[in-house]
Amino acid sequence: MGKTLFDKIWDAHVVTAVEDGPTQLYIDRHFCHEVTSPQAFDGLRKRGLKVFRPEKTTLSPDHNIPTLNQEKPIADPVSKFQVDTLTKNAQDFGLTLYGLGHEKNGIIHVIGPENGLTQPGMTIVCGDSHTSTHGAFGAIAFGIGTSEVEMVLASQCILQPRPKTMRINFEGKLQNAVTAKDLALYMIAELTTGGATGYFVEYAGEAIRNLSMEERMTLCNLSIEMGARGGMIAPDQVTFDYVKGREFAPKGEAWEKALAYWKTLKSDNDAIFDREITFDASAIQPMITYGTNPGMGMAINGTIPTLDAIDEASRISFQNAMKYMGFSAGEKIEGKQIDYVFLGSCTNGRIEDFRQFAAAVKGKMKADNVTAWLVPGSWMVEKQIKAEGIDKILVEAGFELRQPGCSACLAMNEDKVPAGKYAVSTSNRNFEGRQGPGARTLLASPLVAAAAAVTGKITDPRNI
Amino acid sequence: MKICVFLRHLRSNIKIMEKFKTITSTFVPLPIENVDTDQIIPARFLKATTKDGFGNNLFADWRYDKAGNPITDFVLNNPTYSGEVLVAGKNFGSGSSREHAAWAVAGYGFKVVVSSFFADIFKGNALNNGVLPVVVSESFLADLFAEVNADPKTTVTVDLENQTITDNKSGKKETFQINAYKKNCLLNGYDDIDFLLSNKDKIEAWEKNN
Ligand code: SF4
């Protein structure tokens, strides 16, 4: 029997396996940010251990950092302490840090790929669930807890039970104004937020092969929102072209060798997945969420489900969500007024997202009732935005660019949506309070966000 | 490698966790589905650099109002319900990988979380902090909610050695799954790092071959 892409990479990284227990897996690349790592470094100190392979770990603060005046000290003393602790840990343990003000600083899942640290065939972990993003390159990438961060620092290994495998095929071509974000929101709505729990997902099919690298990252990023351990896409010419020439990508002879190996990284024709699902990509519409988990999504021109369409056991949660969002079962949400727009995050904070947003708002004006936060995922994205003149288009349309970071995706810094206000957000979670206590989040693509930003209402991007 | 072999590898001087013993306890019901990690511990509490104190902010936004006063109808503020066991609706712990969620659950004093379904990362984080996630059937879960509603003094017994949970009201018993490795870690209070480092030669051998 043939092997899946997942099997090939997993098997190549097994150090040893415990009978009726987890596998000890070797980790090629480890990323750390300031929120989930301090207790792990403390653990090393308590045990008197060093970092086992310091060159394989890269650090960048992203969650707590302000998106204005980054050159000044962070105002919130608790945030400042956490960011300073990351710096101290980098120094004490001899690790590479792209700290605040560094030209490579940014959201960890944006800077890994853009510096060529993320490569096909790797095992990649980070104390962050959206590590699934890196699977877009044909890597096994997944989020871990702080105890596991400590394991990786101490041994460059992790103990993991082998997940089951699932393949999701998207056949057909995407319609106009339908993006990878819409594919993902559609899939999560179909499968629910727990629908892929226990599985590692491979995305395949015509619509996937046609996605750019940025779009593939958006899709894999959201794998975790349906409970999957991770998501991955077999590397192809699109992948190789993206990786080639980046700072940490192999060069010269090493590149040729790597490329030959990477070309073998695809599921064999006779590989069997534990579960296989096929969607018709051509039927997918621009999507938006109406509730308080990413599975509560619908076509933007559709209606919220009626109560009798909801499973009996889920009705309390559904009604709580309606109350929190200020919506009613069965209603349309297109045309409703909104207050905030957030373009950014590790889901949609890359250069292509800014290109799309700018193209959609070009020649129009930001609606007066909207506060818009446009936050690049990294300083490299910011630099590219300026190099392409995208910033000028945005300014002419009444928008301003903020400085890179996680920002309103989880509102650990100042960028909090006030209670009761509606935010159309390109991020990944619409949980209660995610963008600030009482904030009401509607997840959508950069195009839907752009349409909302210029009309002040929930608007189908095909109508502007 | 066999379990008995690796246990011998573990140095006995590092016992990070307490040993897990059989528990009989009343329980706190939380009959809500999809309780995500942002509800278990909201992001603004993630700025700490130690593992302490998270129990005070477990379910903070459901537990306290804006002024910081307890919201009386939330179950943790209702003295009728108490115990070392939290019984929650389907798909508990979805969302972020923050181990702070497990620290909050453990810090509050829960030793077991019962649900019909758990998100993967939360499950792993809980186990790494001595909190046992117990997966029961939908009907077992529904019975527990109904019984505790009628009588808050209803108890469950969780026996890790035999991998069983008993509803002491109805006498119904279910077995639950846990891999032998993690079970041994919990029963003995071991954590994983010693085990990983005991394989240092294997790690270096892997590196040489790749
Ligand atoms: S952008 Fe949001 S989801 Fe991504 S790493 Fe930052 S906080 Fe997490």
Side-chain angles (χ1 to χ4, degrees):
Chain A
M1 195 179 74
K3 282 184 165 191
T4 67
L5 167 63
F6 175 85
D7 296 332
K8 290 181 184 178
I9 302 174
W10 178 278
D11 292 348
H13 289 84
V14 173
V15 171
T16 182
V18 179
E19 214 175 85
D20 189 23
T23 303
Q24 179 167 347
L25 210 60
Y26 193 85
I27 299 302
D28 296 317
R29 189 74 70 207
H30 179 214
F31 296 112
C32 279
H33 61 66
E34 77 278 22
V35 178
T36 54
S37 67
Q39 295 86 351
F41 285 108
D42 262 5
L44 290 188
R45 285 192 184 94
K46 279 190 192 131
R47 293 169 197 263
L49 293 172
K50 288 193 199 134
V51 174
F52 187 66
R53 293 289 177 256
E55 70 283 4
K56 293 183 194 267
T57 291
T58 307
L59 278 53
S60 175
D62 51 9
H63 282 58
N64 270 292
I65 62 180
T67 55
L68 292 175
N69 303 319
Q70 277 186 8
E71 40 305 321
K72 295 193 189 139
I74 301 177
D76 174 356
V78 196
S79 290
K80 181 173 186 309
F81 184 70
Q82 210 173 40
V83 172
D84 290 348
T85 301
L86 189 74
T87 308
K88 180 170 180 347
N89 286 332
Q91 288 163 351
D92 288 0
F93 290 93
L95 304 172
T96 303
L97 169 78
Y98 298 142
L100 213 51
H102 194 288
E103 59 176 11
K104 291 186 189 296
N105 174 250
I107 305 172
I108 206 100
H109 309 308
V110 176
I111 67 173
E114 68 190 6
N115 287 295
L117 288 162
T118 301
Q119 295 166 20
M122 281 184 161
T123 48
I124 302 174
V125 295
C126 171
D128 194 288
S129 55
H130 292 97
T131 309
S132 58
T133 312
H134 308 264
F137 290 80
I140 292 185
F142 55 90
I144 58 178
T146 301
S147 300
E148 294 168 312
V149 171
E150 192 178 332
M151 290 181 212
V152 177
L153 291 171
S155 69
Q156 205 56 39
C157 288
I158 195 168
L159 288 171
Q160 281 293 297
R162 190 186 185 111
K164 291 180 279 187
T165 56
M166 184 191 294
R167 180 159 60 189
I168 301 181
N169 304 294
F170 284 97
E171 295 304 347
K173 290 197 167 53
L174 292 178
Q175 291 181 31
N176 171 36
V178 175
T179 67
K181 182 64 163 284
D182 303 298
L183 275 187
L185 290 176
Y186 173 84
M187 165 180 82
I188 304 163
E190 290 290 310
L191 297 179
T192 78
T193 53
T197 301
Y199 290 91
F200 217 99
V201 177
E202 179 180 343
Y203 301 105
E206 182 187 358
I208 302 299
R209 285 193 299 277
N210 289 338
L211 294 178
S212 69
M213 231 28 248
E214 279 87 353
E215 289 177 302
R216 293 178 188 190
M217 285 189 253
T218 301
L219 176 63
C220 288
N221 172 280
L222 289 160
S223 304
I224 183 71
E225 306 308 336
M226 55 179 183
R229 204 69 190 83
M232 66 201 310
I233 295 171
D236 58 12
Q237 201 55 45
V238 175
T239 323
F240 309 143
D241 290 346
Y242 181 98
V243 176
K244 192 166 188 182
R246 293 187 187 260
E247 184 172 350
F248 294 96
K251 307 264 155 42
E253 216 175 293
W255 169 263
E256 294 307 327
K257 206 175 144 213
L259 192 62
Y261 170 58
W262 294 347
K263 285 183 175 167
T264 68
L265 295 175
K266 50 183 162 221
S267 292
D268 296 330
N269 289 336
D270 55 346
I272 294 178
F273 291 80
D274 295 303
R275 198 171 162 204
E276 184 139 17
I277 298 170
T278 299
F279 291 120
D280 175 5
S282 68
I284 299 172
Q285 308 278 318
M287 297 284 293
I288 192 158
T289 64
Y290 57 86
T292 53
N293 72 54
M296 300 174 90
M298 63 185 210
I300 193 160
N301 52 11
T303 52
I304 297 176
T306 53
L307 195 59
D308 51 310
I310 306 290
D311 233 32
E312 209 166 311
S314 308
R315 283 187 192 163
I316 299 180
S317 308
F318 176 78
Q319 281 167 318
N320 286 346
M322 288 300 103
K323 196 169 146 217
Y324 183 86
M325 294 300 293
F327 293 151
S328 314
E331 72 172 338
K332 244 179 124 56
I333 62 170
E334 198 180 351
K336 282 190 188 282
Q337 191 163 322
I338 57 109
D339 311 290
Y340 283 75
V341 165
F342 172 54
L343 174 67
S345 87
C346 60
T347 307
N348 284 121
R350 296 186 182 78
I351 186 63
E352 206 167 273
D353 303 309
F354 279 81
R355 284 185 195 133
Q356 283 188 352
F357 187 96
V361 302
K362 188 174 183 176
K364 303 184 179 66
M365 280 309 287
K366 182 183 81 64
D368 289 337
N369 61 309
V370 171
T371 304
W373 291 330
L374 275 44
V375 184
S378 72
W379 282 103
M380 278 174 76
V381 171
E382 202 255 10
K383 209 167 137 194
Q384 187 71 19
I385 287 172
K386 293 202 165 140
E388 294 183 20
I390 291 171
D391 56 325
K392 295 210 180 63
I393 299 172
L394 295 172
V395 168
E396 272 163 29
F399 296 92
E400 61 182 306
L401 218 51
R402 295 171 83 94
Q403 293 171 321
C406 292
S407 177
C409 175
L410 93 167
M412 271 185 89
N413 67 356
E414 308 295 298
D415 308 343
K416 291 180 175 51
V417 175
K421 298 290 184 195
Y422 290 96
V424 174
S425 177
T426 66
S427 56
N428 41 60
R429 287 185 176 141
N430 50 354
F431 297 150
E432 287 181 24
R434 172 81 176 182
Q435 296 195 291
R440 291 161 161 170
T441 302
L442 303 129
L443 300 176
S445 73
L447 289 178
V448 171
V454 294
T455 60
K457 295 182 291 213
I458 297 172
T459 303
D460 191 324
R462 294 168 294 198
N463 299 337
I464 61 163
Chain B
M1 191 188 294
K2 292 245 190 279
I3 307 291
C4 49
V5 181
F6 87 72
L7 281 178
R8 263 187 274 126
H9 279 288
L10 299 172
R11 276 181 283 139
S12 54
N13 59 336
I14 296 180
K15 286 190 180 159
I16 305 288
M17 295 187 294
E18 272 175 54
K19 291 184 184 181
F20 193 96
K21 305 213 176 64
T22 296
I23 289 171
T24 297
S25 173
T26 52
F27 57 89
V28 177
L30 190 67
I32 301 173
E33 291 191 348
N34 303 318
V35 175
D36 58 72
T37 47
D38 278 77
Q39 306 323 313
I40 299 173
I41 186 86
R44 62 185 183 284
F45 298 114
L46 304 187
K47 299 184 184 186
T49 51
T50 69
K51 296 181 185 177
D52 307 325
F54 288 102
N56 298 334
N57 295 314
L58 175 67
F59 301 122
D61 287 343
W62 290 341
R63 204 162 143 198
Y64 308 109
D65 65 16
K66 279 197 198 81
N69 299 312
I71 298 170
T72 46
D73 60 1
F74 183 62
V75 68
L76 290 193
N77 296 322
N78 183 346
T80 321
Y81 301 102
S82 62
E84 294 179 320
V85 177
L86 175 68
V87 179
K90 188 173 164 185
N91 196 22
F92 187 81
S94 59
S96 99
S97 64
R98 60 186 71 158
E99 197 158 316
H100 314 67
W103 298 332
V105 169
Y108 185 83
F110 290 121
K111 297 209 159 58
V112 175
V113 185
V114 177
S115 179
S116 56
F117 199 83
F118 289 93
D120 282 332
I121 305 183
F122 177 81
K123 206 196 281 179
N125 286 341
L127 287 167
N128 284 337
N129 287 280
V131 172
L132 179 65
V134 173
V135 180
V136 296
S137 66
E138 302 270 352
S139 67
F140 192 93
L141 189 68
D143 285 354
L144 287 183
F145 286 139
E147 286 162 9
V148 79
N149 218 349
D151 175 10
K153 294 282 159 262
T154 307
T155 62
V156 288
T157 297
V158 179
D159 176 351
L160 175 59
E161 184 76 53
N162 293 303
Q163 296 178 223
T164 58
I165 176 167
T166 311
D167 171 348
N168 293 320
K169 183 121 233 153
S170 65
K172 273 190 205 153
K173 190 188 266 195
E174 283 195 354
T175 45
F176 58 85
Q177 297 300 314
I178 179 169
N179 73 55
Y181 168 83
K182 267 295 162 200
K183 180 173 165 180
N184 273 296
C185 285
L186 280 181
L187 288 172
N188 294 297
Y190 295 130
D191 78 342
D192 295 320
I193 290 185
D194 270 339
F195 171 67
L196 289 168
L197 288 176
S198 70
N199 287 329
K200 208 167 156 201
D201 49 339
K202 289 193 181 126
I203 303 173
E204 281 164 354
W206 187 94
E207 286 177 328
K208 250 195 213 98
N209 291 332
N210 284 279

